[in-house]
Amino acid sequence: MSRIHDMGGRLGTGPVDPQDGYDFAEAKDWHKRALALNVACGFLGQWNIDASRHARELLDPTDYMSFSYYEKWMGGLADLMVDRGVVTVNELASGKAEGVSPIADKAAKPESVEAVLTHGSPYTRDAAGPKFAVGAVVKTRRIARNVAVPGGHTRLPAYAAGAEGVVVLQHGAHVFPDSNAHFKGEAAEPLYAVQFSAQELWGDEADPRDVVVLDLWESYLEPAQ
Amino acid sequence: MDADGVFWQGFGMPHDHDHPHSHLPSDPALRVKALETLLTNKGLVNPAALDEIIDLYQNKIGPQNGAKVVAKMWRDPEFHKQMVEDPMPVLQQMGLYGRQGEHMVFVENTDDVHNMVVCTLCSCYPWPLLGIPPGWYKSDAYRARSVREPRAVLAEFGVTLSAGQKVRVWDSTAEVRYLVVPQRPIGTEGFSQEELAALVSRDSMIGTALAQEPGA
């Protein structure tokens, strides 16, 4: 059973509003602040991008659906900071700092923010493989789940579990979120773009011409029989 | 605290217990303020650094970056080849690189295929080329429906495809970021790079719009 964030294919969400939140410059002040706070706290080096995604996924489904986008980010951030021992629950509840943090020297500095953010942090690593060639027919794992950590983070959406598709791109080996999100190492694996016919995923209500492509790690895949 | 008296298990194992964020004020603007103040007092956040981050994504990085690349791809066959085959070294040289744009793939619309990008699991998006994603991109509706009924979603954006076009939806489930190269409008021969870039909207690079017709 996947968590609430796994939105692909979900029914009942209503139409998309193309005018919704179009320009970041026009966003509410607290939206901008929430974004910046999340980005800045990443500089502290106490977690990785996969862990921060997982923190948002762990929100209670009721919160997840009622929170606006940046509320999810704030909820995940606060939970992650307590989990990593960066702040205490008492500090969150009282709003009062219990002394200066021992990692305060890592705080993002105004003069270096732009350089760090435009420097990037690539996710490609050296690793064995790839096992599948472009054009190979593969089948995704069913059930979509983290096999090492029960209930843990995975990037195989439920809608694409147990489906047969074709490798269309090899991306090299990338950090494996199912491991990295739980601080169990980067465990890089070959990553592929795999194309599925829309009807394979959604049945005959989908247009027979259409396709969906997902980026999937090698251990999510097996050769199709 | 949960029933065992253990507050927080650590992300080494998932936990479906209490959530520390519930101790923050319930009003979202106050919640952000409370956390910023606390972190500032702990020396973990410098408010001036937050101002810089906002300035960067509000004033310096945005869809104008992606539009520049698309316009140059339309005009310059050699650049087009580089973007399709190995874009990252060139993008780095151009200063169009950074967080959430480390692994770009350009997917081109043709008479036969229309491309569209989504992140069904969160909100992955090529920040260095398009900036911060619009609200609709992060909405439940877009994330839920664009993989299942992309043509219906395109209709909500007012996009009508030509009869022969299939739809290829890219679900950004990893750190690879996809950018759609819309079809160059007819009647733009001889246009400068700046004139071409003006026809390339943010939505056209996500795949929920076409490039603007000249004079439209």
Side-chain angles (χ1 to χ4, degrees):
Chain A
M1 191 66 202
S2 66
R3 292 181 189 272
I4 191 74
H5 70 283
D6 188 0
M7 284 284 165
R10 192 176 296 271
L11 296 166
T13 53
V16 180
D17 173 10
Q19 301 308 316
D20 170 27
Y22 197 73
D23 196 345
F24 184 62
E26 290 159 16
K28 288 178 183 160
D29 223 35
W30 73 263
H31 290 184
K32 296 178 189 176
R33 226 58 203 162
L35 172 109
L37 203 51
N38 271 271
V39 171
C41 289
F43 282 58
L44 300 170
Q46 303 304 297
W47 53 79
N48 56 59
I49 192 163
D50 299 304
S52 66
R53 288 200 184 107
H54 189 49
R56 289 169 212 147
E57 295 165 7
L58 287 172
L59 290 171
D60 185 293
T62 313
D63 284 344
Y64 195 93
M65 294 309 289
S66 62
F67 280 5
S68 60
Y69 181 75
Y70 286 112
E71 285 179 89
K72 294 184 182 96
W73 277 36
M74 294 307 299
L77 177 64
D79 293 348
L80 199 46
M81 294 201 107
V82 171
D83 181 68
R84 303 304 289 165
V86 179
V87 302
T88 66
V89 176
N90 284 341
E91 287 178 317
L92 283 186
S94 70
K96 292 192 172 60
E98 294 159 4
V100 170
S101 169
I103 56 165
D105 61 313
K106 297 180 190 294
K109 294 171 183 62
E111 62 276 15
S112 60
V113 158
E114 182 168 354
V116 173
L117 293 176
T118 57
H119 188 261
S121 54
Y123 299 89
T124 40
R125 301 289 184 270
D126 290 327
K131 198 160 84 181
F132 302 112
V134 169
V137 183
V138 292
K139 191 168 187 181
T140 54
R141 169 185 293 157
R142 181 177 184 283
I143 297 155
R145 65 184 180 111
N146 186 318
V147 294
V149 181
H153 181 67
T154 189
R155 297 293 285 179
L156 174 60
Y159 79 83
E164 203 171 289
V166 179
V167 172
V168 292
L169 294 172
Q170 294 175 326
H171 292 304
H174 280 236
V175 172
F176 187 45
D178 299 42
S179 175
N180 201 40
H182 301 283
F183 304 101
K184 292 177 182 296
E186 293 189 333
E189 288 186 8
L191 178 73
Y192 307 87
V194 181
Q195 178 170 297
F196 302 87
S197 81
Q199 290 200 334
E200 168 76 359
L201 302 174
W202 312 111
D204 61 10
E205 71 180 53
D207 191 302
R209 294 169 293 178
D210 295 348
V211 296
V212 181
V213 185
L214 294 87
D215 285 329
L216 300 171
W217 278 264
E218 190 163 279
S219 63
Y220 297 169
L221 305 171
E222 59 182 52
Q225 295 304 310
Chain B
M1 296 262 177
D2 67 13
D4 302 314
V6 178
F7 182 71
W8 199 241
Q9 301 288 333
F11 276 21
M13 292 296 285
H15 33 66
D16 292 292
H17 304 295
D18 201 358
H19 290 90
H21 70 81
S22 61
H23 294 278
L24 288 166
S26 59
D27 176 80
L30 293 179
R31 193 179 308 170
V32 175
K33 187 73 199 155
L35 196 56
E36 181 182 335
T37 304
L38 173 64
L39 296 176
T40 301
N41 290 338
K42 286 186 72 68
L44 294 168
V45 159
N46 178 338
L50 303 191
D51 296 337
E52 286 297 321
I53 293 167
I54 293 167
D55 178 56
L56 186 64
Y57 291 110
Q58 181 169 295
N59 302 318
K60 296 176 184 166
I61 296 177
Q64 69 277 10
N65 292 358
K68 186 172 153 185
V69 173
V70 169
K72 199 166 161 62
M73 285 178 77
W74 282 345
R75 264 174 61 92
D76 179 344
E78 180 57 27
F79 181 76
H80 177 275
K81 187 164 175 278
Q82 289 171 324
M83 286 303 103
V84 172
E85 289 176 359
D86 188 20
M88 296 323 301
V90 182
L91 290 173
Q92 272 179 282
Q93 280 167 20
M94 294 172 75
L96 300 175
Y97 181 72
R99 290 283 171 88
Q100 292 297 308
E102 292 93 347
H103 308 285
M104 291 301 308
V105 173
F106 294 85
V107 293
E108 295 183 274
N109 290 347
T110 67
D111 289 342
D112 299 322
V113 59
H114 178 85
N115 292 281
M116 192 171 156
V117 182
V118 62
C119 171
T120 62
L121 295 174
C122 45
S123 53
C124 298
Y125 191 76
W127 287 18
L129 291 172
L130 297 184
I132 302 300
W136 62 258
Y137 182 83
K138 304 178 280 198
S139 68
D140 297 338
Y142 185 74
R143 289 166 54 192
R145 294 177 49 225
S146 52
V147 283
R148 183 170 49 82
E149 44 179 3
R151 290 167 186 270
V153 173
L154 287 172
E156 284 159 22
F157 281 83
V159 174
T160 314
L161 301 179
S162 53
Q165 280 180 309
K166 71 172 181 180
V167 178
R168 183 191 289 134
V169 181
W170 299 81
D171 187 355
S172 312
T173 45
E175 301 305 335
V176 178
R177 296 288 170 267
Y178 294 93
L179 189 127
V180 177
V181 181
Q183 286 186 281
R184 179 174 178 167
I186 43 177
T188 58
E189 299 76 14
F191 273 39
S192 70
Q193 179 161 321
E194 291 69 30
E195 288 170 319
L196 287 173
L199 305 176
V200 184
S201 67
R202 173 193 336 226
D203 287 3
S204 74
M205 292 180 279
I206 305 173
T208 55
L210 309 180
Q212 198 185 309
E213 298 291 333

